[in-house]
């Protein structure tokens, strides 16, 4: 987009930019169209959704173990810095994890309880977590590809504020998600039915068209029982999982845009066309 076009939109000279222009701005800002225009009506301006050969029109990605990895290193560092055994640190973490991920206690309350139990004043879990998470290789391109064809969202059991922080530090793909289902905001965690109900409503499609990509088999079994399609992501072999996801999500009709093709590929394409 040219600078002059953007400047005209900002000062109001262009009062009704095209949907294509709005999408470009939303993509650049890493927000959804709904967030950009400040509207609750996501159906008017949302992109047209394809239907995959497997019957999927909306894809939810889990975060830990799918979009990021090595978050468990945070426990190792806390054990080292606090002088406590790792099993003690893990035991305390999992004791409070469901409560904070459901938003029943705040992150500040969790940090205080965690610090008190470890006798490690000033402990901030989010600092250790954000320092140690790494983007899952290849997922940035996969997520962008999925978003170009289908509705897309995040569905994560996670502590308050961490998704926003990961988007800011670009640990997870910064695309315009149609919705983000944060367990701490909906006060439910996977595998509870309540979180799948909330996510289905936000996806704005039949639950049989929703795919959950997750590394936790318990969550996948619950989603499957709820009527969703599921895919187990192997975080030890992300490349293999990515290939299989692409195969699963091939659209029913593969439309080829000439502008997306390199000049070297055009002769091969044209050779296949009827004369």
């Amino acid at each position: 987009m040219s600078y002059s076009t953007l400047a005209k939109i900002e000062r109001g000279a262009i009062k009704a930019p095209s949907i294509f222009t709005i999408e470009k701005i939303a993509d650049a800002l890493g927000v959804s169209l709904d967030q950009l225009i400040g509207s609750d009506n996501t159906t008017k301006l949302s992109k047209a959704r394809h239907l995959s050969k497997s019957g999927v029109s909306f894809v939810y990605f889990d975060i830990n173990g799918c979009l990021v990895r090595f978050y468990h290193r945070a426990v190792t560092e806390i054990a080292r810095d606090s002088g406590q055994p790792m099993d003690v640190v893990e035991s305390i973490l999992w004791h409070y994890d469901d409560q904070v991920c459901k938003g029943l206690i705040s992150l500040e309350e969790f940090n205080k309880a965690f610090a008190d139990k470890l006798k490690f004043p000033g402990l901030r879990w989010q600092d250790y977590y954000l320092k140690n998470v790494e983007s899952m290789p290849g997922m940035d391109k996969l997520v962008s590809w999925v978003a170009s064809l289908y509705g897309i969202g995040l569905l994560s059991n996670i502590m308050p504020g961490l998704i926003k922080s990961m988007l800011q530090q670009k640990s997870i793909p910064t695309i315009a998600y149609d919705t983000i289902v944060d367990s701490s905001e909906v006060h439910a965690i996977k595998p509870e039915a309540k979180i799948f109900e909330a996510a289905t409503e936000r996806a704005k499609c039949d639950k049989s068209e929703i795919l959950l990509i997750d590394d936790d088999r318990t969550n996948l079994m619950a989603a499957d029982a709820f009527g969703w399609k599921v895919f187990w992501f192997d975080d030890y072999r992300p490349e293999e999982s990515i290939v299989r996801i692409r195969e699963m999500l091939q659209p029913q009709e593969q439309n080829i845009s000439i502008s997306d093709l390199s000049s070297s590929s055009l002769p091969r394409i044209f050779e296949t066309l009827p004369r």
Side-chain angles (χ1 to χ4, degrees), residues 6 16 18 20 39 45 55 57 70 103 105 111 117 158 175 206 222 243 245 255 267-268:
L6 184 59
S18 72
F20 304 107
S39 169
L45 290 178
S57 69
F70 300 145
I105 62 174
N111 282 332
K117 291 283 186 180
I158 200 159
I175 58 103
D206 188 84
V243 169
I245 291 169
N255 295 319
R268 294 194 300 273

Side-chain angles (χ1 to χ4, degrees), residues 218-229:
T218 301
N219 296 338
L220 294 171
M221 290 173 64
D224 178 72
F226 192 75
W228 288 13
K229 292 177 172 61

Side-chain angles (χ1 to χ4, degrees), residues 49 57-58 60 151 179 198-206 210 228:
R49 294 181 187 174
S57 69
F58 195 99
Y60 274 114
T179 187
T200 299
E201 182 178 352
R202 295 189 186 186
K204 300 184 184 301
C205 64
D206 188 84
I210 300 174
W228 288 13

Side-chain angles (χ1 to χ4, degrees), residues 59-67 71 136 139 154-157 189-191 195-196 211-224 228-235 241 244-245:
V59 181
Y60 274 114
F61 284 90
D62 178 43
I63 294 179
N64 289 315
C66 289
L67 297 184
Y71 55 95
M136 189 70 71
M139 290 303 283
L154 301 177
L155 177 58
S156 180
N157 293 352
I189 58 174
K190 296 174 289 185
I195 197 168
F196 294 117
L211 171 68
L212 172 63
I213 298 174
D214 202 307
D215 68 314
D216 189 299
R217 294 184 185 275
T218 301
N219 296 338
L220 294 171
M221 290 173 64
D224 178 72
W228 288 13
K229 292 177 172 61
V230 298
F231 180 92
W232 176 67
F233 190 90
D234 186 352
D235 58 336
S241 291
R244 291 172 56 210
I245 291 169

Side-chain angles (χ1 to χ4, degrees), residues 96 100 103-116:
Y96 292 103
V100 67
L104 301 179
I105 62 174
S106 68
L107 189 55
E108 290 72 24
E109 292 171 321
F110 166 74
N111 282 332
K112 185 179 185 308
F114 204 0
D116 289 346

Side-chain angles (χ1 to χ4, degrees), residues 15-275:
K15 300 184 182 299
S18 72
I19 182 63
F20 304 107
T21 298
I22 297 173
E23 283 183 334
K24 288 180 180 178
I25 295 173
D27 285 342
L29 294 175
V31 300
S32 68
L33 288 172
D34 181 44
Q35 291 172 312
L36 181 64
I37 65 176
S39 169
D40 290 330
N41 186 353
T42 59
T43 58
K44 288 184 179 179
L45 290 178
S46 61
K47 62 181 180 293
R49 294 181 187 174
H50 294 254
L51 190 67
S52 75
K53 293 178 180 178
S54 56
V56 173
S57 69
F58 195 99
V59 181
Y60 274 114
F61 284 90
D62 178 43
I63 294 179
N64 289 315
C66 289
L67 297 184
V68 299
R69 61 181 181 178
F70 300 145
Y71 55 95
H72 289 303
R73 289 178 178 173
V75 175
T76 304
E77 285 205 11
I78 291 174
R80 182 197 64 201
D81 293 348
S82 66
Q84 296 285 353
M86 189 179 300
D87 62 319
V88 171
V89 176
E90 287 184 329
S91 177
I92 298 170
L93 171 64
W94 297 124
H95 177 77
Y96 292 103
D97 188 63
D98 283 0
Q99 296 179 60
V100 67
C101 285
K102 285 187 179 183
L104 301 179
I105 62 174
S106 68
L107 189 55
E108 290 72 24
E109 292 171 321
F110 166 74
N111 282 332
K112 185 179 185 308
F114 204 0
D116 289 346
K117 291 283 186 180
L118 287 176
K119 297 180 174 56
F120 184 35
L123 169 63
R124 282 167 48 92
W125 165 259
Q126 62 269 38
D127 294 341
Y128 283 92
Y129 175 89
L130 293 170
K131 175 184 175 183
N132 283 280
V133 292
E134 291 183 11
S135 302
M136 189 70 71
M139 290 303 283
D140 190 71
K141 289 184 178 179
L142 175 69
V143 168
S144 295
W145 176 75
V146 171
S148 71
L149 296 169
Y150 309 105
I152 189 169
L154 301 177
L155 177 58
S156 180
N157 293 352
I158 200 159
M159 298 184 189
L162 290 185
I163 293 180
K164 181 179 180 181
S165 297
M166 281 191 283
L167 286 169
Q168 289 174 338
Q169 71 177 25
K170 298 184 178 180
S171 300
I172 57 179
T174 55
I175 58 103
Y177 297 99
D178 292 286
T179 187
I180 296 176
V181 183
D182 182 326
S183 64
S184 67
E185 294 178 356
V186 299
H187 305 298
I189 58 174
K190 296 174 289 185
E192 296 171 355
K194 181 181 177 182
I195 197 168
F196 294 117
E197 291 169 357
T200 299
E201 182 178 352
R202 295 189 186 186
K204 300 184 184 301
C205 64
D206 188 84
K207 60 184 179 182
S208 66
E209 296 180 7
I210 300 174
L211 171 68
L212 172 63
I213 298 174
D214 202 307
D215 68 314
D216 189 299
R217 294 184 185 275
T218 301
N219 296 338
L220 294 171
M221 290 173 64
D224 178 72
F226 192 75
W228 288 13
K229 292 177 172 61
V230 298
F231 180 92
W232 176 67
F233 190 90
D234 186 352
D235 58 336
Y236 289 100
R237 299 178 178 83
E239 299 85 0
E240 293 180 14
S241 291
I242 289 171
V243 169
R244 291 172 56 210
I245 291 169
R246 281 183 173 271
E247 291 173 351
M248 183 179 186
L249 292 178
Q250 286 301 314
Q252 289 184 356
E253 295 182 3
Q254 187 70 46
N255 295 319
I256 300 174
S257 171
I258 297 300
S259 62
D260 292 336
L261 299 174
S262 65
S263 58
S264 61
S265 67
L266 287 176
R268 294 194 300 273
I269 294 295
F270 288 138
E271 285 173 4
T272 67
L273 298 178
R275 297 184 181 276

